[in-house]
Amino acid sequence: MLENWVVMPTCLPLVRRRCHACGAGHFRASGKFRVNAHHKLLDVWLLVLCTGCGDTAKLTVLERANVRSVQPDLLDRLHANDLALTAELLQDPVVRRRNRVALDWAGAWRLDTGGSDHLDREVIDIAVRFAARIPVRPVRLIAEGCGLPRAEVESLITEGRLVSTARLNTRLSDNFTFILKR
């Protein structure tokens, strides 16, 4: 029987970026946008706050975009400081690359296994789904979900009792399945 696990965000991740004021390495998203109009052109920034000193920095979302090219519902969400839009834009690889930032998901996600009644079976078939693009090592997820130490999960992989089509020793943010034979 296939069990489903879900990796879910619990809060917005921190943004890895050096603060020019205090030198701290992380910012937290404020959930607010700044929209600036230059005649028929728009600039849009996502405001982030330094975790060390509270200084504000801007992450560029749109730069000199024609007003007609921006969808009206997106513009409404920007003006309303939509928190869901903040989460979407933080995960957008184009926005991260444009601003040369990375996300720190430490402590910002949880694994929902749906209970532990499946752990006593001889063969466990599990599908892991990611609700957001959270890079996590599958070995860590399996260890946490099955209540095993990571070293034991590593030994199960080498013994061939833990099998998956995905590479379990690298960070993944895509859905995968695995079979654990006890």
Side-chain angles (χ1 to χ4, degrees):
M1 182 174 174
L2 182 68
E3 298 289 329
N4 291 306
W5 291 359
V6 181
V7 179
M8 305 172 68
T10 56
C11 60
L12 292 174
L14 293 177
V15 176
R16 286 188 191 151
R17 179 177 175 173
R18 178 86 35 218
C19 178
H20 71 279
C22 71
H26 289 89
F27 284 78
R28 65 177 173 80
S30 68
K32 299 194 183 299
F33 294 94
R34 174 151 185 224
V35 181
N36 197 6
H38 303 280
H39 302 287
K40 294 182 182 181
L41 302 176
L42 287 179
D43 288 329
V44 177
W45 298 280
L46 172 61
L47 302 179
V48 292
L49 304 171
C50 176
T51 57
C53 65
D55 196 34
T56 303
K58 299 183 289 187
L59 300 181
T60 303
V61 176
L62 295 174
E63 192 170 37
R64 300 290 180 182
N66 192 314
V67 173
R68 292 179 187 224
S69 69
V70 179
Q71 295 179 0
D73 60 328
L74 174 62
L75 199 53
D76 290 341
R77 291 176 73 190
L78 290 168
H79 285 299
N81 293 321
D82 187 2
L83 196 58
L85 181 61
T86 300
E88 290 172 27
L89 291 173
L90 280 176
Q91 294 182 40
D92 186 357
V94 174
V95 172
R96 290 197 321 257
R97 191 170 34 255
R98 175 185 291 151
N99 293 285
R100 296 185 189 103
V101 296
L103 299 180
D104 185 359
W105 283 97
W109 62 271
R110 69 179 173 85
L111 177 65
D112 182 14
T113 60
S116 61
D117 59 338
H118 61 278
L119 296 178
D120 57 348
R121 294 190 209 138
E122 286 295 315
V123 177
I124 304 171
D125 190 9
I126 296 180
V128 180
R129 186 177 61 82
F130 287 82
R133 298 176 73 157
I134 303 170
V136 182
R137 293 186 190 278
V139 169
R140 178 178 178 189
L141 292 176
I142 295 167
E144 184 177 322
C146 294
L148 302 171
R150 285 191 209 171
E152 187 174 338
V153 172
E154 294 283 349
S155 68
L156 289 171
I157 292 171
T158 56
E159 294 170 4
R161 294 185 0 208
L162 178 58
V163 184
S164 177
T165 57
R167 294 186 58 193
L168 299 176
N169 293 326
T170 61
R171 290 183 184 262
L172 290 178
S173 58
D174 295 327
N175 301 341
F176 69 95
T177 59
F178 68 91
I179 298 174
L180 174 62
K181 302 170 191 167
R182 297 204 181 235

